[in-house]
Amino acid sequence: MKLFHLFSFFAAYLVADSSDVENSVGQFFSSGHTNNWAVLVCTSRFWFNYRHVANTLSVYRSVKRLGIPDSHIVLMLADDMACNHRNPKPATVFSHKNMELNVYGDDVEVDYRGYEVTVENFLRVLTGRLPLSTPRSKRLLSDDRSNILIYLTGHGGNGFLKFQDSEEISNVELADAFEQMWQKRRYNELLFIIDTCQGASMYERFYSPNIMALASSQVGEDSLSHQPDLAIGVHLMDRYTFYLLEFLEDIHPASKANMNDLFKVCPKSQCVSTPGHRTDLFLRDPGSVLITDFFGSVRKVEITTEAINLTDPIQQQEESSVSEDANKEMYSYVDQLPVSEIIHQKPKQKDWHPPDGFILGLWTLILLVFFKTYGIKHLKHIF
Amino acid sequence: MAAHRCSYLAWLVFIFSLSGILVADGQETTLSGDHLVSAVENPQTDAETEKRAAEEPAVEERRWEATRAADAAEENQEFPASVATVLSSTPQLKDDFQEELVIRPLHSGDIYASFHFRTLWETDFMKGNKVSHYRLFPKSLGQVISKFSVRELHISFTQGYWRTMQWGQPYLPSPPGAELWVWFQDTVTDVDATWKELTNVLSGIFCASLNFIDSTNTVQPSASFKPLGIANVTDHRFLRYATLPREIVCTENLTPWKKLLPCGSKAGLAVLLKSEKLFHSSFHSQAVHIRPMCQDSQCKTPSWELRQTLNVVFDLHTSGQGKQEWSLFKMFSRTLTEACPLASSSKIYIDITDNPQEEQFELIPATPLLRQAVVLGDRRTFSVYDLTQQVTFGTVRSLNLLIRWKSTEGHMLRPLLHAERYVAGYGLQTGEIHTLMYNNHPFRSFSVLLLDSVPWYLRLYIHTLTVTSKGKDNKPSYIHYQPSKDRIRPHLLEMLVQLPPHSVTEVTVQFERALLKWTEYTPDPNHGFYVGSSVISALVPSTVAMDTNNTQERTLFSSFFPCKEESSYFVRVYTEPLLVNLPTPDFSMPYNVICLTCTVVAVGYGSLYNLLTRSFQVEEPNPGLAKRIANIIRKMRGVPPL
């Protein structure tokens, strides 16, 4: 009897265990996305906005560390801080005091930089309406199974975000762009994070489904910077992104941290501003959404049991026969500066058009002949 | 009479210098005799090392096997006959990879390091040939060549300006910012559209803003930029040239550049390419050159060359901490441990021409291998470190070259040709561009071809163009000028000018600044607008006979420009880019507020005030034309009007 009890207990345990495994597997596939994309934008120019570039690069570093490849990240930096002449250590951007963490790294790939970072280009990337010859690295090639992370930082106000000190994007425009993305089935779920003054005003107008939004400050509040550095001479990072980076540094691809943990990042005691979030458009419970659903990457692995025979290596066709070889003309190098040839170069034949004086003369002639034949008093017959 | 005396003086100086050269030559010959001995000794040491290598299989067995496997693979590539018996009778297309690092201690105490990587592939991209199987040649570039029917492609990204007066000529010249010039194959029908697409694709490959190249900064030179590879006819309709002087160069440009190398940055010389050191320098330039080359001396089939170069000048004062000592570790924060296993040759050259008796600097470890090469019109001697030999790395299995300076005199060089450029004038309406070209050769004159591409917003007054040398008017023997069209194309000015010996030739042209539309201003218009460097191409008389045989084995750094004559060598010199201020409206918020307020006051208050203060009267009907004329006449006569 005792033995039976033990057995049943063991069996129950086994069943519970297997259901737990199924649960976790189910949870793994519950988000329903098959690929991850990230659009990271710094909209500020000039050296004193060093912190905005550092913000963007630290998010870039985190998503890259968690597995999103460079081909799936569209990174926009409005100015070059790393190789700026004011940077005492070129090719580095630091996020921590005493130059502890170089967020620029040794293998960064910036897709849009400098003057390319405009409202137009940003909206075109989101909606996919780019010129035909745009390379793949500058496109957001997402589909209806994509989870997209959009991170913006810069100077903003109530309802707008400035781009490069010369133009701005409004919250209505942004909301319409997201709606267009939804209608064109360009995302499955979208996480929007903005670190700017009055950031919450930027997500107020969103109306498309499956969007979760976070902001560093409420309407009427300023977002503040963190950590001035004496060697660099400017602030290194903004408060919100600093604590976001600190939070993300602890995340690894298998961690179970969810969005509710993300909402707790940087409380008012640390941030001075009040970070806000909006989840009413999002269909799932934020507690069930993993951080890695947006910051990490799905890697699709298919296992096959079939044996595959590799064919023979491709045979290069032997195309040049000896007889053909003999007919070929001989190539030679050209003179780099053929002086006599240049001097005697014929000017290019242009489309001939009569000189201006000639046309004037022609008209004079026509008028003269006219007056000669009709005289001035017959003018009224014409008009 | 004074001129005569001067010429006598010049002759005297010349004779002295000639005797000096002769003496130096004598020294050199004795030296090279020594070198010969050492070179003769060298094969023995090579043989010895091979023997040693064969004898010590116990030490690091795995490593040796691995390299041997790689060797075997390469042999397969190199000797298709041996493959034929194993696989089939089709010959493989051969490709070959070489890497080189040249280090030249400069007179100013700085140090110049120049990396050259070359992939040579016996294949043909021309005439729509489909190439599908890639080995060492990067596929991304191969596809670009095929798709856009490119014959030659030259692209460079440079930060900083090469100071010819202090550093002499570089092995490969490049202007500050980005430069791109492309020769298309004659099968291309719409060159401009292909060019536009190509720049977009390249901007994706190199993470650069090359998509800003459009018709407003592209020119079609009529005589400069001849093809560097083989070409039988040169029709300049298939050439496009553009520069972006403002382009910044940073890690994001270096990353894709390194990915094009067969070994990446994992092995070989590319291990040294660490961005935080490379960009902490006075000058940094990286380039990619693709061109068809002769396969053999007959030159009937082309093989394609991809040449990747990276030039960097390290400043003694900023990074040397005042100490006169250089090492690979100090420069690049890495040492070398192996050659790239895919490379057929991997060498380091150190220029020791100015240092035959080790009086200027000391080189540690010393090497018995020496090599002479004719480069930039001068015969130079180099110490050679062959990375494919295990002896190079010594017992510690890592090579850390050390250069220790002994003397510290730094003097200005007198390169035979150099140039500078500046903007003169004041105010925001007009200005003048001055280009100075120096010929420092004591008795030879030579022709240079000057190319200037000026954006449309500087309107050149071409009638004010003057070319003067030695106070006299110098008439160019060839001028090609293409005026600009607003917002469509830039000015293009090409001139062939003869530079008299030992002279300064000054080219001046006045310009007017155009007003931009308010959307055409950059986000930081107060920074100013850049005008790209002018390009000076010249055949400079050489002091030694140049090597005109293009097929024989030469060092990579001396074989870039093909040479046709023995007596002169081709150089390209770039001047400084110009930074010009345009009249800029104040875009700031207070200014806009003031404008708006003034408008409101003028329109609103002004009209109200007008209404309140004006007295209204009934106007008399308008008199006829005849009456008015009569009244004017009456007024002149002093009679009361009708």
Side-chain angles (χ1 to χ4, degrees), chain A residues 83 104 106 109 113 115 133, chain B residues 246-247 250 252 259 275:
Chain A
C83 290
Y104 200 57
D106 206 25
E109 285 185 19
R113 58 180 199 170
Y115 298 145
S133 54
Chain B
R246 179 109 205 237
E247 188 67 14
C250 210
E252 64 257 28
K259 281 182 184 168
S275 58

Side-chain angles (χ1 to χ4, degrees), chain A residues 81-154:
Chain A
M81 295 300 160
C83 290
N84 197 304
H85 295 294
R86 293 180 195 176
N87 195 342
K89 275 180 74 74
T92 54
V93 173
F94 292 101
S95 66
H96 284 62
K97 239 187 244 181
N98 306 326
M99 304 191 172
E100 276 162 11
L101 182 62
N102 176 16
V103 286
Y104 200 57
D106 206 25
D107 55 349
V108 63
E109 285 185 19
V110 185
D111 301 304
Y112 287 82
R113 58 180 199 170
Y115 298 145
E116 287 174 277
V117 183
T118 57
V119 173
E120 182 187 339
N121 277 349
F122 174 61
L123 291 179
R124 280 182 184 280
V125 165
L126 289 186
T127 53
R129 301 180 176 211
L130 285 155
L132 277 178
S133 54
T134 310
R136 287 177 75 88
S137 64
K138 291 186 165 189
R139 286 171 182 271
L140 181 71
L141 296 166
S142 56
D143 53 26
D144 59 341
R145 298 281 87 194
S146 308
N147 273 14
I148 305 181
L149 166 72
I150 291 176
Y151 177 86
L152 293 173
T153 181

Side-chain angles (χ1 to χ4, degrees), chain A residues 118-308:
Chain A
T118 57
V119 173
E120 182 187 339
N121 277 349
F122 174 61
L123 291 179
R124 280 182 184 280
V125 165
L126 289 186
T127 53
R129 301 180 176 211
L130 285 155
L132 277 178
S133 54
T134 310
R136 287 177 75 88
S137 64
K138 291 186 165 189
R139 286 171 182 271
L140 181 71
L141 296 166
S142 56
D143 53 26
D144 59 341
R145 298 281 87 194
S146 308
N147 273 14
I148 305 181
L149 166 72
I150 291 176
Y151 177 86
L152 293 173
T153 181
H155 291 283
N158 193 350
F160 69 91
L161 176 70
K162 280 208 294 184
F163 267 67
Q164 301 230 19
D165 227 9
S166 66
E167 51 183 350
E168 54 274 318
I169 186 171
S170 72
N171 49 2
V172 182
E173 284 170 320
L174 196 63
D176 289 344
F178 287 156
E179 174 62 19
Q180 205 177 112
M181 285 174 78
W182 174 250
Q183 287 181 6
K184 289 169 84 180
R185 298 161 73 84
R186 284 175 66 79
Y187 70 85
N188 172 43
E189 284 169 345
L190 200 145
L191 177 66
F192 176 82
I193 304 180
I194 186 161
D195 187 347
T196 177
C197 296
Q198 320 207 23
S201 65
M202 285 306 282
Y203 62 63
E204 273 174 354
R205 302 292 183 101
F206 290 173
Y207 54 96
S208 319
N210 281 356
I211 296 182
M212 196 188 299
L214 285 96
S216 61
S217 53
Q218 296 295 337
V219 179
E221 275 182 341
D222 283 347
S223 283
L224 296 163
S225 56
H226 193 252
Q227 286 198 332
D229 186 273
L230 288 178
I232 291 169
V234 286
H235 288 264
L236 290 182
M237 260 185 121
D238 280 326
R239 278 171 186 272
Y240 180 73
T241 312
F242 180 82
Y243 291 106
L244 181 69
L245 175 66
E246 214 170 57
F247 170 75
L248 289 174
E249 285 292 297
D250 294 332
I251 305 283
H252 51 91
S255 55
K256 289 270 173 280
N258 60 38
M259 285 296 157
N260 283 333
D261 300 326
L262 186 65
F263 296 153
K264 286 181 205 135
V265 165
C266 200
K268 196 167 183 189
S269 57
Q270 288 175 323
C271 251
V272 184
S273 61
T274 327
H277 58 267
R278 183 174 170 191
T279 54
D280 57 324
L281 297 168
F282 206 73
L283 299 180
R284 288 196 285 154
D285 171 36
S288 70
V289 182
L290 297 179
I291 298 290
T292 48
D293 281 357
F294 288 100
F295 288 89
S297 178
V298 175
R299 279 166 201 187
K300 209 174 174 187
V301 178
E302 281 179 25
I303 297 166
T304 175
T305 50
E306 289 171 38
I308 294 171

Side-chain angles (χ1 to χ4, degrees), chain B residues 10 14 17 416 439-444 501-502:
Chain B
F14 166 60
S17 60
L416 289 182
N439 175 3
N440 287 332
H441 204 286
F443 57 90
R444 287 278 302 269
H502 199 76

